[in-house]
Amino acid sequence: ASTGAVTLTWKGNWDRDNGTLTYKVLRGSTVVGQVVRTAPFWQIPTLTFTDTGAPRGLTVQYRIQALDPWANAVTSDPVNATIPGGGPLAVDRFSRAVTGSLGTAETGGAWTVSGSNTSFAVDGSRGSIALPAAGSSRTALLSSVSALNLEVTVDLGMDKAASGENIFMALMARANNASNNYRAKLVLRPAGDVQVQLTKVVAGVETSIKSAALPGVAHSSGGVYTVRFRVTGTNPTTLQAKVWPAGGVEPLAWAVQVSDSSAGLQTAGGVGFWSYVSGSANSTPQTVIFDNLNALPIR
């Protein structure tokens, strides 16, 4: 409807036993409001609610949940709404062809890479980072982007399944460099399972803050996953991440979320990628692939 506001309209439900029903409005997994309506079951009401706290510049998902007085509930299918206000911080569809670097993003400036330049390439449809040997890592950063509160989404994958040990790939936020940043990290395990971790890197030392397994998400050669990473607030900072197979249905709830107040990470910073293959891996080289980067500010 306007910057920071979304109006939802829906047809009510009906219940032969209860004339009064409660309708909860969910933005993602958060209840942002509710409407209580009394009506006979043969008169289906039309209801509305305006969410005035919607995050500007983002596409968010809404559902309506109808409940009777005994807490029996039914939840609607989701709808997406793009809230006006606030242009993107970074957008990169990797539609160019580049070798020896990642070139320049469509929005967000040039990529700065660490490690051998020969590890980086863009083939016209996606970017890639080659990890040539066990124990190798690489970083790519949009250092001209600076944000305190943002949500960043990207498709990440590997060209091979993990073998011998874990493979790690991550989105970075509040990254002034590779040594100070927050990360939403995917851990691909040789057994085929996938874990998501929220970590912090301070003065080059990485610490896992919270992690969660992803039930029903299995890794295979060439598998690609969409990662959504939200970082908001200071002292504490709230970190939230969710992961799902690219092209699939986005989960309603965050897979993992936690708060952190580490000094040095309570200021704005850039976004980027980090990847690492364990020193005991027996299937190298490995190549990280990524596409559809979108970083939006949250105001």
Side-chain angles (χ1 to χ4, degrees):
S2 64
T3 298
V6 175
T7 296
L8 298 107
T9 302
W10 67 96
K11 285 286 188 182
N13 211 324
W14 60 272
D15 187 328
R16 292 183 185 274
D17 301 316
N18 301 282
T20 300
L21 299 178
T22 298
Y23 299 88
K24 292 185 176 180
V25 180
L26 293 91
R27 184 200 324 130
S29 58
T30 302
V31 177
V32 296
Q34 67 179 35
V35 177
V36 179
R37 178 61 60 88
T38 300
F41 71 85
W42 61 87
Q43 293 180 359
I44 305 300
T46 298
L47 304 107
T48 64
F49 177 83
T50 298
D51 177 15
T52 58
R56 293 186 291 174
L58 294 181
T59 297
V60 296
Q61 190 175 83
Y62 287 94
R63 286 183 170 95
I64 305 297
Q65 186 178 67
L67 300 97
D68 70 9
W70 319 113
N72 297 304
V74 62
T75 305
S76 74
D77 291 333
V79 295
N80 292 328
T82 300
I83 295 89
L89 296 163
V91 175
D92 204 342
R93 302 291 178 256
F94 299 98
S95 56
R96 57 199 172 274
V98 182
T99 57
S101 74
L102 296 181
T104 301
E106 297 159 44
T107 302
W111 288 93
T112 300
V113 300
S114 64
S116 173
N117 284 1
T118 58
S119 292
F120 301 88
V122 183
D123 67 2
S125 62
R126 64 187 186 181
S128 64
I129 302 175
L131 301 171
S136 58
S137 67
R138 297 290 187 269
T139 303
L141 180 65
L142 287 177
S143 53
S144 62
V145 171
S146 183
L148 184 69
N149 301 314
L150 84 163
E151 184 172 286
V152 56
T153 305
V154 75
D155 295 336
L156 286 175
M158 300 291 298
D159 69 331
K160 298 177 183 176
S163 177
E165 194 47 271
N166 298 335
I167 300 170
F168 306 85
M169 49 189 178
L171 270 177
M172 299 189 299
R174 293 193 185 174
N176 295 306
N177 50 56
S179 298
N180 292 277
N181 53 78
Y182 283 122
R183 294 177 181 174
K185 180 194 294 185
L186 288 187
V187 183
L188 309 182
R189 301 181 182 277
D193 57 313
V194 181
Q195 185 183 72
V196 58
Q197 297 181 350
L198 294 173
T199 74
K200 60 182 178 182
V201 182
V202 179
V205 177
E206 184 177 25
T207 303
S208 178
I209 310 172
K210 194 169 184 179
S211 62
L214 297 175
V217 178
H219 173 59
S220 60
S221 180
V224 180
Y225 313 92
T226 300
V227 182
R228 190 181 299 279
F229 184 28
R230 180 178 289 188
V231 181
T232 54
T234 57
N235 295 310
T237 295
T238 299
L239 308 173
Q240 299 169 297
K242 63 174 73 173
V243 181
W244 65 98
V249 177
E250 178 177 352
L252 178 63
W254 296 101
V256 62
Q257 54 187 345
V258 73
S259 295
D260 178 73
S261 298
S262 297
L265 297 179
Q266 306 307 302
T267 59
V271 299
F273 305 119
W274 170 88
S275 56
Y276 171 74
V277 60
S278 173
S280 59
N282 56 26
S283 180
T284 55
Q286 293 276 2
T287 300
V288 178
I289 55 178
F290 42 91
D291 200 3
N292 300 317
L293 174 73
N294 192 31
L296 292 165
I298 298 176
R299 295 182 174 88

